Amino acid sequence: KKKFTSIMKKIEEGEANAAVEDIFAPSAPRYEQIVISSSNESKAERAEVFTTSSEGRSIGVMRVTFPKEPFAVGAMRAAYRIQNHGVQYSANQKGCAVPSCLSEKFLVCKEGLSNGVGYNSREAMFGDLNCHHRARALADEWNQNVAFQDAELRPVRVLEPVVLHLADRQDVNAKWVMAESFLPKEAKFRKFNNNGGMCDRNEDAEAMNTFSHWTWCKSAGEHMVLDLQGVMTSEEVVLTDLQVMHPDRTQYGRGNLGGAGMAAFFAGHECGRLCKLLKLHLPGELDHEAAKKLSEGVGVVVGPQTVPAYPIERLVPNNADGKVWTPPPQAMAKPRWVPDHEVIHCMVGSECKRRYGSPISFEGLFPFRSRRHHCRLCGKVVCGLCSKNRQKTPWSKGKLERVCDDCVAKQEGVGGGATALSGALRHSGNADGW
């Protein structure tokens, strides 16, 4: 009882690492306490490969060998040096850019230390993948338009990761991992800033903090690239494990702290010569003290008017003659259910987002813990609020089954969430009872 009380007290005080040390034998090395991969070093595993340009489809299968122990352990992940035995590409690879790391013999593989779909799932990994994709796009624009304007500004290269799905593993917390190239060895590893307002005040780090500030200004307050870490060579800065901040916290992984993360940066960042050279401004032209107050939870960063992430013309697919493209009708087939462990938030988010301002999280993050349900027409994982509709399906044998708002909207020919369905019945009680 005393040991349990001590452990719980440390967890409440934010000392999670110390609590882990108390749970395990104190004589055991830390990497043995938190070993994630139980693979035999001589046995190759089969892994599906996903990239930033594959649009959620696997481009092939890689055979990889994992060591028994990680070579490094961080606060959230353990890093393994894995061997690449080759990739057998599928038809999905056509038209997709192949990251250079897939041609290398050895890669860095990062596995999450925490259990749960919030850390180890398809949705969590794809959130991190989208995060790197957006950061690379901003870095490319920086290199083309900004990096040459001053001798202290350097090109930024963001390592392009891939997501590996180890479907044959029994442990659901070790099926999804991320891999990338090794950092150059000729320079020392540096951390220039983080998500909590820490900014390296050394003179040679000013350019990287200016880069973070520039990403916010360039995207009109929509994005900010933080948690900059990597190596600085004589020609460029190579970064890894970045985090993109965005007002919608359901995007870009769990590290996205939204406006609070942006405010924390502005509270710790002092604009220097390079910020003035590029004519970067503070959010809403706030002064340093106002940004500090925002980072303490008083409010959120107020930036200039936001712009759509995609041009309007890209939202409606057109034929070559300019007319709206209409897909051919397809025979309805029983959907494949999305596995529970791959989803963190409600995949529809119509009613729950309207009511709470954000899709419901199944991990109890916001606004409360909710049960997972499956739509019988599309197979998506949804919350009870967004799946109150009931109707017969071709495979329900005459029974009324749960249908999500998206499927209802498609049947009614409207774009938003629907409130009624012609010919179908809606249960008037609590949807969680079905």
Side-chain angles (χ1 to χ4, degrees), residues 404-431:
C404 72
D405 288 354
D406 273 3
C407 289
V408 173
K410 290 177 182 178
Q411 293 178 63
E412 293 189 339
V414 297
T419 56
L421 176 62
S422 177
L425 295 178
R426 173 181 287 214
H427 178 49
S428 60
N430 184 357

Side-chain angles (χ1 to χ4, degrees), residues 266-267 270 282 286-296 298:
F266 284 118
E270 291 282 359
L282 288 171
L286 298 176
D287 57 22
H288 188 64
E289 292 302 319
K292 279 187 176 181
K293 291 181 180 179
L294 290 177
S295 68
E296 294 168 358
V298 178

Side-chain angles (χ1 to χ4, degrees), residues 203-430:
E203 187 176 348
D204 61 348
E206 181 185 352
M208 287 299 93
N209 289 305
T210 301
F211 170 72
S212 292
H213 192 171
W214 175 87
T215 58
W216 182 84
C217 293
K218 183 62 182 178
S219 63
E222 284 283 300
H223 301 90
M224 176 183 281
V225 182
L226 290 178
D227 207 11
L228 303 186
Q229 53 193 325
V231 297
M232 181 181 291
T233 68
S234 58
E235 298 179 352
E236 62 180 359
V237 181
V238 185
L239 301 175
T240 181
D241 274 349
L242 305 175
Q243 180 58 57
V244 173
M245 299 294 165
H246 188 275
D248 183 359
R249 295 190 60 185
T250 63
Q251 299 188 40
Y252 303 121
R254 294 178 68 96
N256 176 17
L257 303 182
M262 297 178 184
F265 169 78
F266 284 118
H269 170 59
E270 291 282 359
C271 289
R273 184 184 66 84
L274 296 178
C275 286
K276 295 176 182 178
L277 173 68
L278 300 179
K279 299 180 181 180
L280 305 182
H281 61 277
L282 288 171
E285 297 300 331
L286 298 176
D287 57 22
H288 188 64
E289 292 302 319
K292 279 187 176 181
K293 291 181 180 179
L294 290 177
S295 68
E296 294 168 358
V298 178
V300 297
V301 168
V302 180
Q305 185 176 1
T306 58
V307 295
Y310 299 99
I312 298 299
E313 58 269 18
R314 287 184 55 188
L315 301 180
V316 179
N318 296 327
N319 289 321
D321 57 4
K323 296 181 179 179
V324 176
W325 175 76
T326 303
Q330 296 180 350
M332 182 173 286
K334 190 172 183 179
R336 182 188 73 86
W337 282 17
V338 177
D340 286 350
H341 65 269
E342 292 185 1
V343 179
I344 306 171
H345 299 90
C346 174
M347 299 178 70
V348 173
S350 57
E351 181 64 22
C352 62
K353 187 173 183 178
R354 183 191 67 79
R355 185 174 298 188
Y356 301 109
S358 177
I360 279 182
S361 168
F362 301 120
E363 293 295 288
L365 299 177
F366 175 87
F368 53 78
R369 190 175 182 88
S370 174
R371 288 180 56 191
R372 291 176 172 83
H373 302 282
H374 282 86
C375 172
R376 269 53 173 185
L377 282 180
C378 65
K380 292 179 180 178
V381 180
V382 296
C383 68
L385 291 175
C386 298
S387 58
K388 291 183 178 179
N389 302 287
R390 302 293 183 272
Q391 74 175 90
K392 298 176 182 179
T393 63
W395 43 84
S396 65
K397 298 180 180 180
K399 296 181 180 180
L400 295 175
E401 294 191 317
R402 182 184 298 273
V403 179
C404 72
D405 288 354
D406 273 3
C407 289
V408 173
K410 290 177 182 178
Q411 293 178 63
E412 293 189 339
V414 297
T419 56
L421 176 62
S422 177
L425 295 178
R426 173 181 287 214
H427 178 49
S428 60
N430 184 357

Side-chain angles (χ1 to χ4, degrees), residues 155-215:
V156 173
R157 177 162 64 93
V158 179
L159 294 180
E160 184 175 6
V162 295
V163 168
L164 304 181
H165 180 212
L166 301 153
D168 297 333
R169 287 188 174 182
Q170 298 298 318
D171 184 3
V172 296
N173 292 305
K175 287 179 176 288
W176 293 91
V177 298
M178 188 170 284
E180 64 185 13
S181 303
F182 279 88
L183 289 168
K185 297 181 179 180
E186 63 267 21
K188 183 181 179 181
F189 182 84
R190 297 275 301 276
K191 192 168 183 76
F192 303 100
N193 57 44
N194 67 6
N195 301 353
M198 185 281 289
C199 294
D200 188 342
R201 296 297 180 87
N202 291 318
E203 187 176 348
D204 61 348
E206 181 185 352
M208 287 299 93
N209 289 305
T210 301
F211 170 72
S212 292
H213 192 171
W214 175 87
T215 58

